[in-house]
Amino acid sequence: MRPVLEVADIFHAHGEAFRRAQTGHLSLGQLKVMSAIQACRTARLGGHVERCEDCDHQRIAYNSCRNRHCPKCQGAAAQRWLEARQAELLPLAYYHVVFTLPAQIGDIAFQNKAVVYGALFKAASETLLTIAADPKHLGARIGLTAVLHTWGSALTHHPHVHCIVPGGGLALDGQSWVSCRPRFFLPVRVLSRLFRRLFLEKLAAAHAEGQLSFFGELAGLADRAAFAARLAPLRRAEWVVYAKRPFAGPEAVLAYLARYTHRVAISSSRLVAMNDTGVTFRWKDYRRDGQARRKLMTLAPSEFIRRFLIHVLPTGFHRIRHYGLFANPARAANLAKARALLQAPTPTPAPEACVEPEPAAKPLIACPCCGGRMVLVEVFERWSGPGHRPPFQHVFRVDSS
């Protein structure tokens, strides 16, 4: 069912005024995201018409934009990704570790997204792989899946990486499986200190190699001494690394990934109201407990759109990455070895030949009026719309994927 209010509705009502006010300040990627969200599941992207064989009821299905920042297009993408990952889960406890950048890095990260977010991924993964391989801690080669989020609940800029890690790994000699202690993965304070050092080293190296750009109030940071002075307090501050309790089992890992891997800055279900002066949405104040944590926030439409767009990622930037045993080149071999050492059966999907065909009498798509079979009667191209509109029709918006 379509939510009462969607992000697309806000863009339709206030997007053009925002574009005019921000002329020259929006990236091509941000403009494309706005355009895609506004066009999603409308006649601008084309679609098709279906008709019931029994009662002649017709409905229009518009195509989706499939943009990774569109709130309406992530459900199908997440499901496809989860199906691919399901066979890779190992039968043991999984842990959830979150690495967060300090607020003082936020402005630098916003002006240098690809470089800083990439350094965040590398520092977080190297921290886990290094500490896990240390014989004083686990003494094993581990694998992990990392997911980048750049937002807080109020749509503020808050870059952090969620890492999902199995509770153990291959022994350094590769001949046995090493499990971590029950309900304890790795010491958070040790992780925090190494993460801080690795990230700051990578950021300083990027500056020295001329990979960072600075604009506006940050222009002075192009000077090496000024940049070093900006980072100096961060070398002494405590960085936030949060290790959550282990998941209840592989099924819980999948449920978590379904919510997090393809999440965008805000879902339409959190939107409450919109008018000419503000957009109201639900958010969580994590400084409070219980029901006091749940609050409403109202932002001017231009500020809401601005906050949404600061989370648009650079073109081609991968927000889900795999490391260690799960790195793509040797993932299949490593998983097979892990299952053998854990004495776990290898998942075997049913061959296509063994799948029972659908009974001919069962409709593939049911008519919402009589339950009959809906059949395709027309495909229309972008911007054209259906050639024939019946006196009564039902507009049905679906994911074209």
Side-chain angles (χ1 to χ4, degrees):
M1 181 180 295
R2 184 184 187 274
V4 175
L5 180 63
E6 294 182 345
V7 172
D9 298 325
I10 300 169
F11 284 1
H12 281 300
H14 303 284
E16 190 56 38
F18 181 82
R19 289 186 183 92
R20 289 197 301 268
Q22 298 296 322
T23 299
H25 298 286
L26 297 177
S27 69
L28 179 60
Q30 290 172 325
L31 291 171
K32 285 183 176 180
V33 167
M34 290 186 70
S35 178
I37 291 176
Q38 287 181 254
C40 188
R41 301 180 192 181
T42 69
R44 289 172 57 182
L45 298 183
H48 61 272
V49 181
E50 301 165 342
R51 182 173 63 211
C52 177
E53 291 181 323
D54 297 331
C55 71
D56 287 334
H57 173 80
Q58 293 193 30
R59 64 183 178 186
I60 303 171
Y62 293 121
N63 294 334
S64 62
C65 68
R66 303 182 72 177
N67 188 288
R68 62 174 171 170
H69 298 95
C70 176
K72 289 185 288 191
C73 289
Q74 298 313 300
Q79 186 58 40
R80 290 193 299 271
W81 189 85
L82 286 175
E83 289 171 357
R85 302 282 83 78
Q86 194 165 15
E88 299 175 354
L89 287 174
L90 298 172
L92 41 77
Y94 277 71
Y95 289 79
H96 178 195
V97 185
V98 184
F99 294 85
T100 302
L101 289 182
Q104 297 90 326
I105 300 290
D107 290 345
I108 298 174
F110 180 69
Q111 294 188 2
N112 300 274
K113 290 182 178 180
V115 175
V116 177
Y117 295 164
L120 171 58
F121 265 121
K122 291 176 182 177
S125 60
E126 288 177 18
T127 296
L128 286 171
L129 295 173
T130 299
I131 300 302
D134 189 336
K136 292 187 297 184
H137 298 291
L138 186 63
R141 295 169 52 226
I142 64 170
L144 63 114
T145 296
V147 182
L148 172 69
H149 284 182
T150 63
W151 54 84
S153 185
L155 294 182
T156 51
H157 192 222
H158 180 63
H160 55 285
V161 165
H162 296 262
C163 297
I164 311 301
V165 195
L170 293 177
L172 299 182
D173 62 6
Q175 300 305 308
S176 61
W177 180 266
V178 180
S179 296
C180 64
R181 285 185 283 165
R183 309 190 72 79
F184 179 83
F185 182 51
L186 294 171
V188 171
R189 186 162 186 171
V190 175
L191 293 173
S192 175
R193 297 293 172 81
L194 181 57
F195 171 60
R196 178 181 64 187
R197 177 172 66 82
L198 290 176
F199 179 83
L200 291 177
E201 286 177 353
K202 295 179 188 303
L203 194 61
H207 187 280
E209 294 170 7
Q211 297 178 4
L212 301 179
S213 301
F214 302 100
F215 309 95
E217 296 179 356
L218 299 185
L221 294 182
D223 178 73
R224 181 170 298 187
F227 188 74
R230 175 72 172 255
L231 298 188
L234 297 175
R235 300 183 187 280
R236 300 184 296 271
E238 292 294 333
W239 287 37
V240 178
V241 175
Y242 178 55
K244 295 187 177 183
R245 298 175 62 184
F247 294 100
E251 295 77 13
V253 177
L254 280 179
Y256 173 84
L257 290 175
R259 296 193 304 271
Y260 273 79
T261 52
H262 292 71
R263 179 177 286 186
V264 297
I266 188 170
S267 63
S268 295
S269 62
R270 288 174 54 197
L271 300 177
V272 175
M274 173 189 67
N275 55 35
D276 290 339
T277 60
V279 176
T280 301
F281 61 94
R282 301 181 186 88
W283 71 291
K284 291 181 181 179
D285 184 352
Y286 289 99
R287 296 169 296 183
R288 304 293 184 90
D289 296 320
Q291 289 301 315
R293 174 174 289 186
R294 300 179 182 276
K295 297 182 177 182
L296 294 179
M297 177 177 291
T298 300
L299 299 174
S302 59
E303 175 61 12
F304 177 89
I305 296 174
R306 185 194 73 82
R307 291 195 188 188
F308 184 92
L309 293 179
I310 64 178
H311 306 294
V312 172
L313 295 176
T315 301
F317 188 90
H318 295 282
R319 65 181 177 186
I320 305 172
R321 303 186 184 188
H322 307 279
Y323 297 94
L325 299 181
F326 298 163
N328 287 328
R331 180 191 301 172
N334 289 333
L335 286 170
K337 189 163 191 175
R339 288 194 188 94
L341 294 173
L342 290 166
Q343 298 182 342
T346 301
T348 53
E352 293 184 6
C354 297
V355 177
E356 291 292 331
E358 292 286 341
K362 183 178 179 180
L364 297 177
I365 304 176
C367 173
C369 294
C370 69
R373 178 190 177 99
M374 299 292 290
V375 296
L376 179 69
V377 296
E378 179 186 353
V379 175
F380 53 92
E381 299 298 327
R382 292 169 177 260
W383 297 96
S384 62
H388 170 68
R389 291 180 180 267
F392 171 78
Q393 65 182 9
H394 177 75
V395 175
F396 185 59
R397 307 199 293 178
V398 298
D399 189 337
S400 63
S401 58

